[in-house]
Amino acid sequence: MQQQAFVLPGQAPFSAQQTFTCGQCFRWMPQPDGSYIGIVRGIPARVREENQQLSICTAPDSLSMWTDYFDCETDYGSICQSFAVDDFTAKAAEFGRGIRILKQEPWEALCTFILSQCNNIPRITGIVQRLCGLLGTPVSFEGQTLYTFPEPAQLAALSPEDLQPLRAGYRAPYLIAAAQAVQSGELDFAALNRLSTSDARKEIMQLRGVGRKVADCFLLFGLHKLDAFPVDTWMKKAAACYSGDMRQFMDSPYAGVYQQYFFFYTREHGLG
């Protein structure tokens, strides 16, 4: 597959490191030169930041997909300015200003956040890598072998015992249940995306193993519903650092963007 380097359009600054390590995705692997290699919808790419812009080496005919995936048309600078209302929020906006909310594949996002329950990022990453290596299709890229994310049909036919190599523990049956729901048509991502965030949350929480936090992570990172606001331990710590009531941010159309910046700043600085 022929590759070519491009600088994608969009508002600077962009940070590959912040975007890929802020907890929203688990399949972009850091390289010795500071770039990241990943595969989305079967298309591999190498991504780096150059002059605070997004530079990508990938198949020339895939640029529109990557422009959408990196949400290049959203002005994150203006969003940051809108929530910098005290010392804590201003520092969070400045510290994480290179983060972009990726438009991930709904199926992959659902699986990875099911695996995220009571887990940490390195372990989630390892489980996801083993899942793709076990069931994904190999794709050669720059001398490396990447793997596509398994399709629902592949997981739906398996038993929890088949997934023991993942070392996913109690989460393995949840993956299979989700795959079976997608395969049967019970879970339709396109239909789910047409619902309000509140109604979509109610629907996805009917899945076995999907509670409120996993549901909101899926809505934000899998359906790009930017008004979803996942709450975890770090967000509770962030709320303690904010001078006002954090709930004021939860009703915004960009609540999920605020959440990600607060989460990243609080975690990286060990606050709370």
Side-chain angles (χ1 to χ4, degrees):
M1 181 184 297
Q2 183 182 4
Q3 309 296 327
Q4 190 170 340
F6 303 89
V7 175
L8 293 186
Q11 300 287 333
F14 166 82
S15 169
Q17 186 270 334
Q18 290 183 340
T19 297
F20 295 143
T21 66
C22 65
Q24 64 174 315
C25 61
F26 308 96
R27 295 233 291 145
W28 286 93
M29 298 296 109
Q31 304 300 305
D33 66 353
S35 66
Y36 287 78
I37 284 182
I39 182 167
V40 175
R41 301 181 181 94
I43 302 173
R46 179 188 291 272
V47 171
R48 59 167 48 88
E49 56 202 77
E50 292 183 0
N51 299 319
Q52 297 190 326
Q53 289 186 292
L54 192 164
S55 175
I56 185 167
C57 182
T58 190
D61 60 357
S62 65
L63 282 186
S64 61
M65 187 274 285
W66 290 112
T67 300
D68 181 67
Y69 176 78
F70 284 104
D71 199 21
C72 291
E73 295 184 359
T74 297
D75 184 355
Y76 283 83
S78 295
I79 297 174
C80 284
Q81 291 177 2
S82 71
F83 71 80
V85 295
D86 75 342
D87 183 64
F88 167 74
T89 54
K91 287 178 177 177
E94 176 61 24
F95 180 75
R97 64 196 184 108
I99 293 175
R100 300 292 177 267
I101 306 298
L102 304 173
K103 292 187 178 181
Q104 301 181 59
E105 280 291 282
W107 163 241
E108 180 174 339
L110 176 61
C111 289
T112 56
F113 284 102
I114 285 175
L115 292 171
S116 76
Q117 299 175 71
C118 300
N119 226 336
N120 57 54
I121 291 176
R123 191 164 186 275
I124 300 164
T125 300
I127 295 172
V128 173
Q129 285 180 324
R130 291 190 289 273
L131 173 62
C132 295
L134 181 68
L135 298 172
T137 300
V139 176
S140 179
F141 179 71
E142 295 187 354
Q144 299 189 38
T145 300
L146 310 181
Y147 293 88
T148 60
F149 198 83
E151 296 294 329
Q154 294 171 275
L155 276 166
L158 301 181
S159 69
E161 291 70 28
D162 294 323
L163 296 183
Q164 284 185 351
L166 305 185
R167 302 195 295 277
Y170 68 88
R171 307 166 192 84
Y174 300 161
L175 287 183
I176 294 170
Q180 290 172 344
V182 174
Q183 186 66 11
S184 68
E186 175 187 349
L187 177 58
D188 182 330
F189 293 124
L192 206 60
N193 204 23
R194 290 192 290 268
L195 298 176
S196 68
T197 298
S198 177
D199 288 343
R201 181 186 297 115
K202 292 176 185 176
E203 289 293 321
I204 200 66
M205 286 181 66
Q206 294 182 36
L207 273 182
R208 182 184 175 193
V210 176
R212 175 64 184 260
K213 177 180 175 289
V214 170
D216 282 339
C217 286
F218 163 72
L219 294 171
L220 177 57
F221 303 123
L223 296 185
H224 207 69
K225 288 185 177 291
L226 297 182
D227 57 338
F229 193 95
V231 175
D232 66 354
T233 300
W234 286 113
M235 284 308 300
K236 292 175 183 177
K237 293 179 178 180
C241 296
Y242 175 51
S243 61
D245 187 343
M246 188 66 76
R247 286 177 295 183
Q248 76 178 81
F249 299 110
M250 299 175 70
D251 295 328
S252 165
Y254 295 113
V257 182
Y258 303 159
Q259 183 274 350
Q260 195 65 7
Y261 282 62
F262 297 155
F263 167 87
F264 185 66
Y265 178 73
T266 304
R267 189 194 69 184
E268 292 299 298
H269 288 80
L271 302 180

